[in-house]
Amino acid sequence: MRNERLRWLLLSAIFAAVTAVLSQVTIPLPLVPITGQTLAVGLTATILGSRYGTLALLIYVLLGAVGLPVFSEASGGLQVLVGKTGGYIFGFIVTAFVTGLYLEKFGFTLKHAVVANIIGMFVTLAFGCVQLKYVLDIPWDKAVAFGATPFLVVGVIKAVLAALIGIKVRERLIASRLLRVEQPVAR
């Protein structure tokens, strides 16, 4: 039992690191860049589920908060979290929980993983738009126009990729006994 908990904690730390690495994949846009962070969040939640996926993203955010350069463009520090993109980063924690919870409730299947990751995309975008609106002091329509609309198509693509890769990696980790889970019945 103790070894199993340690295994889950180590996987959470590994996926915090995976998120930090994928965060460095960036396509710059005027206000908010497209990054690999959201792909990493979807992968993490799809593979680890709600509890340890959330823990992984909490570790990631805390590492960035203390100044480690884990956020996009090798940035870190509290100024990032209270800045125009901080809402997305805080949203990652909630996204991991919601995505993982959906999969735990309905089953870790490709179909459910796609749905869960698309829901997660909207959670992240909602958090991002709220903070963007207040930090830049702009109207809601502009916050959505700059903070969500440009990311919808690429967000769906990343959600599908996270589902495809995440389910396959999860299955392989389970088959190799690196991940031990009680599988809910798929519906």
Side-chain angles (χ1 to χ4, degrees):
M1 178 70 170
R2 190 165 174 226
N3 286 340
E4 196 60 33
R5 181 171 163 83
L6 178 60
R7 182 188 321 254
W8 279 102
L9 292 174
L10 287 172
L11 283 168
S12 296
I14 289 167
F15 277 92
V18 166
T19 304
V21 170
L22 286 177
S23 295
Q24 304 319 308
V25 177
T26 304
I27 300 169
L29 290 179
L31 281 181
V32 179
I34 295 173
T35 70
Q37 286 170 309
T38 51
L39 175 62
V41 172
L43 285 169
T44 300
T46 302
I47 295 166
L48 300 182
S50 64
R51 182 177 184 183
Y52 290 100
T54 301
L55 177 61
L57 272 300
L58 187 58
I59 292 168
Y60 168 74
V61 172
L62 290 173
L63 289 172
V66 299
L68 293 176
V70 297
F71 300 142
S72 68
E73 299 175 350
S75 61
L78 291 175
Q79 74 280 3
V80 176
L81 294 175
V82 298
K84 63 185 178 185
T85 60
Y88 299 97
I89 297 169
F90 286 120
F92 296 159
I93 298 167
V94 179
T95 296
F97 180 76
V98 169
T99 303
L101 192 64
Y102 181 97
L103 288 166
E104 289 163 3
K105 180 171 176 62
F106 295 105
F108 287 84
T109 65
L110 180 58
K111 177 181 86 172
H112 289 303
V114 169
V115 171
N117 277 283
I118 289 173
I119 292 168
M121 173 195 70
F122 282 108
V123 170
T124 298
L125 291 176
F127 272 78
C129 285
V130 168
Q131 188 155 330
L132 192 64
K133 185 239 184 304
Y134 288 107
V135 167
L136 296 181
D137 192 28
I138 58 176
W140 282 110
D141 62 330
K142 289 207 185 319
V144 171
F146 291 117
T149 306
F151 307 106
L152 292 174
V153 172
V154 74
V156 169
I157 292 167
K158 286 194 274 186
V160 171
L161 278 174
L164 285 166
I165 297 167
I167 290 297
K168 187 57 77 181
V169 169
R170 181 179 170 84
E171 289 170 353
R172 297 258 168 97
L173 288 172
I174 291 169
S176 65
R177 302 176 91 176
L178 291 172
L179 190 66
R180 294 191 185 137
V181 295
E182 291 186 28
Q183 297 268 22
V185 176
R187 296 178 191 167

